[in-house]
């Protein structure tokens, strides 16, 4: 197994706003610059939608809704810094997505098995979220080496992704290479017991999909005592 | 029902990079500014993790991994524009998250019911993804008016969220107000048939959770012929 980063910590809490801005080429740089001048550190600047749709009124000024998360500055100061900007048309107070949706367990693979892993993971997340945790279970059913290996690699680009479950009956080749790349950035992987080389390139192999989902949530929950590093290489 | 925006269109395809950058206050503004100079339009700038963890080596220079998506510029030009920056330590070529994970159906509510809605939605998404669609099913089990209404509001801040399913046995009050706010930004809602006012504040009410998940995916799939606007206010 290649060397890898130690388990990565979540980012500290941020303040969040949703901005309606004019869709100009330089708008994001202006907003990010103003946040920095106010002493803040931009953590997320994400375009969530066009508003209104260009279909609705072609003559309307192009606008987008932007989700903004910032550290090291309080909400009032952030609003005061952004309000005067010509590019900012409206400001909505929101909550950082990490506080609402929390850590994400990602499940990728064949539909029938993804659904069973999700059943276990959602049931287990329910129990932890009742005790103050925030764990989401995010899934996509996909088929084929190309689609699945792309998804495995892209988990490294998902905010708040903390663990991947590979749910299928045969995976290897490029998927195994993508799995090692993902683990190298600090995101562990649980795989169902299956055909192919993938089971040699994950942290834990579990035969029962419901249990795989349950263990995945236990591994990321601060309210559980399950330590994946002690299980590394095992099969259940 | 209040007036609302027409159904919003997805943003056009972007090019994507993952950057390892030094975690300085002004780094994001510098990067966004350079993208603009290169003719690009920043769509996402999202901090996905600290790397390496400050726990690993307290003396190491603070760094973060950043997911960047940009429109109106090609990949080569984007890399050339960012490579010379002092703040940018490494550049990885990636794929835009919309191409990998696609549209998101969000499921929020009680664990047992969220799991059954997910079962229907994942099975249906599997069928559409096989035909070239990309639909994810993202879930969080939550309890209580405050936690659920916060999650409903926060769906408006989630990139690529296209529809919400509320899966529970009793919802109303602040959750119903949050539901109307979410629909006002163009995100439709399907609810299970349940106790409380929520069923008067959603687009469609479905009694069977598996069918609710199936219909949710059909409503967002370009490969389906199901039109939610024709079902508005109905109950099944």
């Amino acid at each position: 197994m290649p060397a890898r980063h130690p388990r990565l910590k979540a980012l500290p809490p941020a303040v969040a706003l949703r901005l309606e801005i004019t869709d100009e080429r330089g708008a994001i740089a202006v907003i990010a610059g103003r946040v920095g001048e106010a002493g803040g550190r931009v953590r997320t600047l994400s375009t969530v939608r066009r508003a209104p749709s260009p279909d609705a009124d072609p003559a309307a000024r192009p606008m987008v809704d932007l989700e903004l998360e910032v550290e090291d500055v309080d909400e009032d100061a952030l609003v005061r810094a952004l309000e005067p900007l010509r590019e900012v048309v409206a400001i909505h107070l929101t909550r950082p997505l990490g506080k609402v949706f929390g850590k994400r367990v990602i499940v990728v693979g064949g539909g029938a098995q993804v659904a069973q892993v999700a059943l276990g993971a959602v049931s287990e997340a329910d129990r932890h979220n009742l005790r103050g945790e925030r764990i989401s279970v995010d899934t996509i059913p996909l088929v084929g080496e190309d689609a699945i290996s792309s998804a495995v690699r892209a988990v490294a680009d998902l905010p708040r992704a903390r663990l991947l479950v590979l749910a299928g009956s045969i995976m290897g080749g490029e998927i195994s290479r993508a799995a090692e790349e993902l683990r190298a950035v600090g995101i562990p992987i649980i795989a169902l017991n299956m055909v192919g080389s993938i089971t040699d390139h994950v942290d834990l192999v579990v035969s029962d999909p419901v249990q795989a989902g349950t263990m995945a949530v236990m591994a990321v929950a601060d309210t559980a005592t399950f330590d994946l590093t002690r299980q590394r290489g095992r099969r259940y």
Side-chain angles (χ1 to χ4, degrees), chain A residues 175-195:
Chain A
I175 302 171
S176 296
R177 282 184 283 280
E180 292 292 359
E181 290 174 29
L182 184 64
R183 294 168 75 205
V185 301
I187 298 178
I189 305 178
I190 295 175
L192 300 189
N193 196 6
M194 69 175 94
V195 178

Side-chain angles (χ1 to χ4, degrees), chain A residues 10 19 35 60 69 74-76 85 115-116 141 145 172 192 221:
Chain A
L19 309 177
V35 170
E69 300 197 11
D74 68 32
E75 191 176 78
D76 289 350
L85 293 177
Q116 293 307 304
E145 188 172 352
L192 300 189

